[in-house]
Amino acid sequence: MPIDHEFGDQHTELKLSIVEKYLKFFTTALRGKFEELWYIDAFAGTGSRTVRYEERAAGLLDAGEPERVERRRGSARIAIDVRPPFDFIVFIESKPSYVAALQELAANYPNRRIAVVKNDANDALKSLVAANNWRSTRAVLFLDPYGMQLEWSTLEKVAATKAIDVWFLFSLAGLYRQATRDLADIDQHKRAALTRMFGSDAWEQELYPKTMRDDLFEGISEEPRRRSADVTGLEAYAKSRLEAIFAAVLKPLPLPLHKRPQRFSLFFCISNDDPKAIGLATKIGNHILKAGSSS
């Protein structure tokens, strides 16, 4: 079985631990209150991952340690293991070798309803949302894209269900690379990526506001447009965009946790606009994120 490779990134372990805790809460709290509880993984990988520990030479106080590789559960396997179990699990993946691994994983659980969808995540999510009635179904969606593939229009469709809680690992490093310091340096490819990510070209004015210069000799002219927002500011901007479509968005967890530069922001987005639902999800989500931030 092909497996995802990871070289000891602690943020991966933390994000999966946080999501797993919420999944357990979700199925426990909502069991019996809705006909169906679903888990959806839009970039599902293979279900497994590896952590490689490099060889450590012998020192004065120890005998060293040979290179070793540990195989651990990925998000797909974690979702299957959650108890109480989900009624339906959907794994979405576009890479053929990963799809084959997920199909093999699902085959090990013939009594479970597990669908493996080979498709682009955006197309698959939009189809899934449109094809189902969400009145009697509640779901958790895990978004851990490989880059900046997720489209704003996909998030809009998900939020409109008012039935799906979303854990979204947002690539802050990807945004930082696309949104270069000077607006003039953003080519058409980067411009299209940012518009696709944020749903409109309003980011251009909001991240690169126009400023005027009054020169004694040249008169009033426009300054070169530059982004003043740092990594924290970009994270705040991403949060404000998510808040425009979701009922509530919690303060994200910066990842890696104790290292810089920050590469990701783990967002928890609540689509259900019922105050009681928001209150409960917010309380649990904040508790889990706070525990994660102190780990």
Side-chain angles (χ1 to χ4, degrees), residues 184-251:
D185 292 336
I186 300 181
D187 58 26
Q188 288 302 111
H189 175 76
K190 291 181 177 179
R191 188 178 301 273
L194 288 165
T195 298
R196 185 171 61 250
M197 178 194 297
F198 290 127
S200 77
D201 59 5
W203 59 267
E204 186 171 324
Q205 179 57 44
E206 292 162 349
L207 290 177
Y208 302 87
K210 293 181 180 180
T211 57
M212 306 306 292
R213 173 178 56 191
D214 189 356
D215 186 90
L216 179 62
F217 299 101
E218 298 181 5
I220 298 176
S221 61
E222 184 177 324
E223 292 271 20
R225 293 170 66 177
R226 306 188 77 232
R227 169 176 56 79
S228 60
D230 57 8
V231 170
T232 301
L234 289 176
E235 181 185 71
Y237 182 73
K239 184 174 184 290
S240 71
R241 292 296 298 138
L242 292 170
E243 288 172 332
I245 57 173
F246 285 97
V249 179
L250 304 192
K251 180 181 178 180

Side-chain angles (χ1 to χ4, degrees), residues 29 45 53 100 114 237 242 263:
Y53 295 90
I114 302 175
Y237 182 73
L242 292 170
R263 293 162 54 199

